[in-house]
Amino acid sequence: MRAIAYYTAIVVSVGDGDTIRVRTGNKTVTARLACIDAPEMKQNPWGQQSVTRLKQLLPVGQSVTVRAIETDKYKRLVAEVFVVNRSVNVSMVQEGQAVVYRQYLKSCPESKDSLLQGENYAKQQRLAFWSQANPVIAQIDRSQRRQSKGQLQQGVLLLYLFL
C-alpha cells in the first residue's frame, strides 16, 4: 500500500528511538519513522539515549505533521514526522541517534540527501552512536541476536538428543 499523505497529529507516546504513537482525530496509530534505524534498546547505552532524545524532540502532546508513506508488515504506519517543517527523522540521524536505513531510502526521496549528509556529519563528528570504536547498526545487531538465538536453540536440541 503506497499512499503518501500529509496530516496533523498529536504525539501520544514514544516507544523507542524510531517508533511513536500519534493521534489524529479519534484514531491512535503506531508510526515507524521512515528511512532511519535507531539502536535497539538492548544496545546499551545507545538504545536508551536514542529513545530519550526522541522523547525530547517529540514530547507527549506535541503537534506534528506526518507524511504517511505506507503500512509495514507489522501494521505500523511508516512515516516522516515534522515539527515546524523540520524532519525529526533527519534530526535523529544528524545527532547520531539513528542511522540511515538504506534498504528503505527510496521511500524518502525528499529527504534522502539530508539523511545521508546528516549521517556523514554524525560519523565525522563521532556523535552519540558513532562515538563507539566499532559501532554495530541495529539491523546487524538484530540479525546477530537472531543467529545467536538459533545457534543456542540448535545446541539445546543437540544436547537433548544426546541425553
Side-chain angles (χ1 to χ4, degrees):
M1 180 175 168
R2 188 138 175 100
I4 297 177
Y6 287 87
Y7 58 90
T8 301
I10 302 295
V11 175
V12 174
S13 64
V14 172
D16 59 24
D18 52 29
T19 308
I20 63 173
R21 290 190 51 79
V22 295
R23 185 180 65 251
T24 180
N26 61 356
K27 186 177 180 184
T28 300
V29 297
T30 299
R32 170 77 165 77
L33 299 185
C35 303
I36 73 169
D37 198 17
E40 295 295 313
M41 293 300 287
K42 294 175 183 175
Q43 288 180 273
N44 289 321
W46 317 110
Q48 188 58 51
Q49 286 181 6
S50 181
V51 72
T52 297
R53 181 60 181 141
L54 190 56
K55 285 179 179 180
Q56 291 168 347
L57 292 171
L58 297 175
V60 171
Q62 173 74 52
S63 179
V64 295
T65 301
V66 175
R67 182 175 73 89
I69 297 171
E70 64 185 352
T71 301
D72 70 9
K73 64 183 180 182
Y74 303 108
K75 308 255 190 257
R76 299 176 298 188
L77 174 68
V78 177
E80 191 162 14
V81 178
F82 299 86
V83 174
V84 191
N85 296 323
R86 173 113 173 100
S87 169
V88 173
N89 306 47
V90 171
S91 293
M92 289 292 286
V93 169
Q94 286 175 332
E95 295 179 20
Q97 300 296 341
V99 301
V100 176
Y101 211 158
R102 283 170 169 73
Q103 86 183 69
Y104 297 107
L105 197 52
K106 67 182 181 294
S107 299
C108 300
E110 296 167 13
S111 57
K112 175 184 174 183
D113 292 340
S114 295
L115 286 164
L116 292 171
Q117 289 168 4
E119 184 177 84
N120 284 335
Y121 173 80
K123 280 182 186 177
Q124 289 171 353
Q125 298 299 311
R126 300 186 57 79
L127 299 176
F129 173 77
W130 297 110
S131 67
Q132 303 172 76
N134 297 304
V136 177
I137 63 171
Q139 182 181 13
I140 292 171
D141 182 68
R142 285 189 298 270
S143 175
Q144 289 172 344
R145 287 180 192 276
R146 279 192 298 271
Q147 192 174 35
S148 293
K149 185 178 178 182
Q151 289 171 347
L152 178 62
Q153 288 172 343
Q154 287 175 344
V156 169
L157 178 59
L158 286 174
L159 181 61
Y160 176 77
L161 291 174
F162 285 109
L163 291 177

